[in-house]
Amino acid sequence: MSVDSVRTEEGSRPELAALPVNEPIGYIGSKILPVMQVQAKAGTYYYSTLVADVAAQTARAAGAAPTATTLSESSSTFAAAERIKRYKLPWEMIPLIGGLDKSDERGAKASKRSVINALETAQLAAFVDGAGTSITSAILDGIIDAADQVHRYAGRTAFVCNVGQYRWLIQQDEIKDLLLRTFGGLGVVQSLSVPPEVFKAMLQTLFMVDEVFIADDTFWPYTYRTTAAVVKIPDGTDEMSFVSEPEYGRTMIYWPTAEETPYEINSFADDDLRSNIFDCTEWDSIEEFNSGAKVLLQINTSGSTTT
């Protein structure tokens, strides 16, 4: 085996950074806290907060100015922190994998996936930061009430839970009855085996929400594994809409280049280790603007997926 035939390229590898990684369930963190590109690793940002309704003035004296309520902006600072992961791939494995190109893809995807997983974990940890109010005795009413609590915030209403919560929900009598009515020709077992996409569509209607997100249990905070949430998420693709509208938050990612991804892959060959090295790096700061735009709900108090 010629050493030259197994040595990877040295330097930045944007073509590898653009490769998609496998998503067993799907990442939802950036749907709740959408990515905002920033050109510096630290700085100041401005955002809108929810303004309480003020009663309209009556009995104003002729010639007097109307009483004004000032709309002001809020500001805060961010500082992006590094997330980085390195993988190495021994040269003797390269022919077994299918050659240098295939081995480069494997190393890049592994390092990128680890960094994306770390970001997803951090986003969900920022989002699910408490136990929430128990609604186990009245699930449907509890979720509808939570949606009403956040209705004045801008955007679309989303119900968010993890896979364990999803499996528990479809086994509760309150939800099973709704499933049976929705899929009237099916038996109990068949009703409970409907695809998650169908179940999510049903929940959107029943819970009066626009979206249902089901997170991978791997990334959900273990301390709050019995907690779900209702949250407002931005409506549309305007990443700066939080400046003019009160929204939940953003993930600010240092993204100074025109590349299609903020994940930077660098590779090099290590003669001492006789391996190719793959590093993935990303810099981010997770920012919550309006904590009132989410309501945490304790649904499954047992932590089990069974009734």
Side-chain angles (χ1 to χ4, degrees):
M1 179 177 66
S2 169
V3 170
D4 290 337
S5 66
V6 295
R7 293 174 62 91
T8 191
E9 295 179 28
E10 181 172 348
S12 179
R13 304 290 299 276
E15 81 283 5
L16 296 180
L19 294 173
V21 299
N22 293 331
E23 299 181 18
I25 294 175
Y27 299 110
I28 69 166
S30 291
K31 296 177 180 178
I32 301 167
L33 291 152
V35 169
M36 175 184 170
Q37 300 182 31
V38 293
Q39 301 299 306
K41 292 179 179 177
T44 299
Y45 61 88
Y46 297 87
Y47 63 98
S48 289
T49 56
L50 190 66
V51 178
D53 286 332
V54 178
Q57 186 177 351
T58 59
R60 179 178 63 89
T67 302
T69 298
T70 301
L71 296 173
S72 60
E73 63 186 9
S74 299
S75 66
S76 188
T77 59
F78 73 92
E82 180 189 52
R83 302 187 195 278
I84 187 169
K85 180 59 185 174
R86 169 173 291 183
Y87 278 83
K88 69 176 181 179
L89 201 154
W91 288 343
E92 56 265 30
M93 288 182 57
I94 292 176
L96 305 177
I97 294 173
L100 185 57
D101 289 343
K102 291 294 184 183
S103 67
D104 279 359
E105 289 184 10
R106 182 174 181 183
K109 286 182 177 181
S111 59
K112 182 179 177 181
R113 180 178 172 84
S114 290
V115 172
I116 294 176
N117 288 350
L119 177 59
E120 177 81 355
T121 300
Q123 288 170 322
L124 292 181
F127 176 57
V128 186
D129 57 356
T133 302
S134 176
I135 61 168
T136 304
S137 61
I139 298 169
L140 185 58
D141 287 344
I143 294 174
I144 292 174
D145 179 66
D148 186 60
Q149 290 181 51
V150 301
H151 80 276
R152 285 203 57 220
Y153 291 91
R156 297 165 61 80
T157 306
F159 173 73
V160 187
C161 68
N162 58 23
V163 172
Q165 288 287 0
Y166 157 71
R167 291 172 178 165
W168 184 86
L169 275 171
I170 63 175
Q171 296 179 66
Q172 305 314 300
D173 290 341
E174 185 177 352
I175 303 300
K176 283 195 288 188
D177 290 344
L178 294 169
L179 279 167
L180 289 171
R181 288 203 295 269
T182 303
F183 306 101
L186 301 180
V188 175
V189 174
Q190 291 86 354
S191 297
L192 297 182
S193 65
V194 297
E197 293 76 15
V198 176
F199 176 75
K200 288 179 3 180
M202 184 198 74
L203 289 188
Q204 286 172 209
T205 301
L206 296 175
F207 294 168
M208 299 177 67
V209 297
D210 302 305
E211 302 281 354
V212 174
F213 298 141
I214 300 176
D216 192 322
D217 285 343
T218 304
F219 311 120
W220 198 265
Y222 182 78
T223 302
Y224 303 120
R225 64 192 182 281
T226 64
T227 299
V230 170
V231 64
K232 276 299 189 71
I233 59 174
D235 187 5
T237 58
D238 180 5
E239 68 175 20
M240 296 297 294
S241 57
F242 63 88
V243 177
S244 58
E245 299 284 353
E247 296 180 353
Y248 173 57
R250 286 289 192 277
T251 302
M252 298 188 174
I253 292 186
Y254 176 61
W255 196 337
T257 68
E259 300 296 342
E260 62 182 271
T261 174
Y263 300 95
E264 182 179 353
I265 302 289
N266 285 275
S267 65
F268 65 92
D270 189 306
D271 291 321
D272 185 47
L273 297 175
R274 295 183 60 80
S275 300
N276 290 334
I277 308 299
F278 301 89
D279 292 341
C280 180
T281 310
E282 178 263 359
W283 294 77
D284 68 78
S285 180
I286 300 167
E287 301 294 324
E288 184 181 70
F289 307 145
N290 290 282
S291 61
K294 73 177 179 185
V295 176
L296 299 178
L297 304 169
Q298 192 172 64
I299 295 181
N300 175 4
T301 56
S302 69
S304 169
T305 60
T306 61
T307 53

